[in-house]
């Protein structure tokens, strides 16, 4: 299993580039940049690629509804070329609360939209559509998928899935069986909030205050109910060194091909967690 860094910090591009540099210096395999309502993750990936050699650069995730697949394919191929083929393009339909309430677009039939979108995107990335950029290898595509229909689409039309809030048991008993049924050797990337800390309950409370609202997003609510949890904060892996290390190893045993470490807690706690991630990256 590969260990990477998930950059949730949206303070400024330079900070995100420095986190990519830190991830590479710690021997991590990848760094993934997210899209909320701030910096563009593909642009940040291109900037990080120019500044930091070697490490895989991913997006987790680019929202599909606001970006036409032709435009996204052109941008992704440009970034792939600029970074020496190190881009992995993570995409997904996001959530009704973002697409309708923020973008003002319809979130009607998200699975149908995703299937049509990925079909068009893969055509454009392959050079058999409108976008013609000779000599550029298309980047791998990951789909954010948690439910059975989306996992089938990920297996059929993408190179795997990128998940969040999913426990090792969910990876083993739900995500791997569903995607393996339609795909051969898919990539299963689990994004996990980690904290090596002596105050695990306090860390979870901090995250609940910051992003607890996500617990009510439909796809997350279904996942949490499956896991017997009320809040996304309950999915955080927090505790001493051995507790966190064992939890990460459980993802490997469950069939995750990658764990993206999202650092939470105070500065010292994040530094300890990053050191543990480096330790695991060298041993798993």
């Amino acid at each position: 299993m590969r260990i990477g860094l998930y950059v949730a910090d949206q303070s400024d591009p330079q900070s995100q580039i420095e986190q990519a540099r830190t991830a590479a210096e710690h021997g991590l395999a990848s760094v993934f940049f997210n899209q909320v309502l701030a910096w563009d993750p593909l642009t940040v990936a291109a900037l990080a690629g120019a500044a930091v050699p070697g490490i895989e650069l991913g997006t987790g995730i680019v929202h599909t509804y606001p970006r036409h697949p032709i435009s996204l394919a052109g941008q992704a191929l440009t970034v792939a070329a600029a970074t020496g083929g190190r881009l992995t393009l993570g995409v997904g339909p996001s959530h009704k609360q973002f697409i309708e309430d923020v973008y003002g677009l319809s979130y009607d039939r998200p699975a149908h939209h995703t299937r049509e979108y990925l079909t068009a995107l893969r055509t454009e990335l392959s050079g058999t559509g409108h976008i013609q950029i000779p000599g550029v290898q298309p980047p791998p595509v990951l789909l954010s998928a948690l439910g059975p229909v989306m996992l089938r689409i990920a297996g059929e039309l993408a190179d795997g899935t990128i998940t969040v809030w999913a426990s090792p048991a969910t990876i083993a008993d739900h995500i791997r069986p569903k995607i393996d049924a339609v795909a051969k050797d898919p990539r299963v990337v689990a994004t996990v909030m980690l904290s090596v800390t002596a105050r695990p309950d306090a860390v979870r409370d901090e995250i609940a205050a910051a992003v607890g609202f996500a617990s009510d997003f439909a796809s997350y609510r279904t996942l949490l109910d499956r896991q017997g949890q009320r809040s996304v904060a309950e999915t955080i892996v927090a505790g001493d060194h051995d507790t966190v290390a064992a939890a990460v190893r459980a993802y490997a045993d469950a069939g995750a091909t990658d764990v993206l470490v999202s650092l939470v807690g105070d500065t010292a706690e994040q530094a300890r967690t990053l050191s543990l991630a480096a330790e695991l990256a060298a041993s798993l």
Side-chain angles (χ1 to χ4, degrees):
M1 186 178 73
R2 303 165 79 241
I3 305 292
L5 181 67
Y6 181 80
V7 177
D9 175 23
Q10 290 280 300
S11 56
D12 61 77
Q14 190 58 44
S15 172
Q16 296 181 66
I17 293 167
E18 288 306 313
Q19 289 179 73
R21 192 188 314 279
T22 298
E25 290 171 349
H26 279 74
L28 303 190
S30 63
V31 57
F32 276 64
F33 304 99
N34 75 341
Q35 178 182 358
V36 187
L37 294 169
W39 308 104
D40 175 67
L42 277 166
T43 304
V44 174
L47 294 170
V52 184
I55 196 167
E56 177 190 9
L57 306 153
T59 60
I61 58 166
V62 174
H63 301 164
T64 56
Y65 277 95
R67 300 203 192 197
H68 195 284
I70 295 176
S71 297
L72 180 57
Q75 186 182 11
L77 288 167
T78 302
V79 176
T83 58
R86 289 185 283 145
L87 176 68
T88 293
L89 179 62
V91 302
S94 187
H95 306 277
K96 182 176 182 178
Q97 289 88 335
F98 278 107
I99 302 308
E100 293 195 348
D101 298 346
V102 177
Y103 291 114
L105 302 172
S106 170
Y107 196 69
D108 183 48
R109 303 177 69 193
H112 178 76
H113 155 84
T114 301
R115 180 174 289 280
E116 288 192 336
Y117 192 98
L118 278 179
T119 300
L121 178 65
R122 296 309 290 255
T123 298
E124 295 300 333
L125 289 173
S126 72
T128 60
H130 298 83
I131 298 295
Q132 300 295 317
I133 306 180
V136 179
Q137 186 71 19
V141 177
L142 300 177
L143 175 66
S144 61
L146 294 171
V149 175
M150 291 292 284
L151 286 166
R152 172 172 286 277
I153 295 170
E156 291 176 350
L157 297 175
D159 298 292
T161 183
I162 179 168
T163 72
V164 66
W165 315 123
S167 69
T170 294
I171 298 289
D173 301 336
H174 171 63
I175 289 173
R176 287 274 3 177
K178 292 294 188 297
I179 196 170
D180 286 342
V182 292
K184 182 179 180 181
D185 299 324
R187 194 169 175 187
V188 175
V189 180
T191 307
V192 188
M193 287 187 172
L194 302 181
S195 183
V196 177
T197 177
R199 51 182 200 104
D201 291 339
V203 170
R204 292 189 182 96
D205 288 344
E206 291 165 4
I207 296 303
V211 298
F213 62 87
S215 305
D216 294 326
F217 291 176
S219 58
Y220 295 164
R221 183 71 265 152
T222 300
L223 175 72
L224 293 171
D225 289 345
R226 175 187 294 276
Q227 296 176 168
Q229 296 166 323
R230 293 174 299 172
S231 168
V232 295
E234 294 178 46
T235 71
I236 296 170
V237 176
D240 62 22
H241 175 284
D242 290 347
T243 297
V244 176
V248 174
R249 291 190 181 98
Y251 279 94
D253 294 341
T257 60
D258 304 68
V259 162
L260 296 181
V261 176
S262 180
L263 302 172
V264 293
D266 62 27
T267 301
E269 290 162 338
Q270 291 191 29
R272 290 196 295 270
T273 307
L274 183 59
S275 295
L276 172 59
E279 175 189 318
L280 292 169
S283 63
L284 289 175

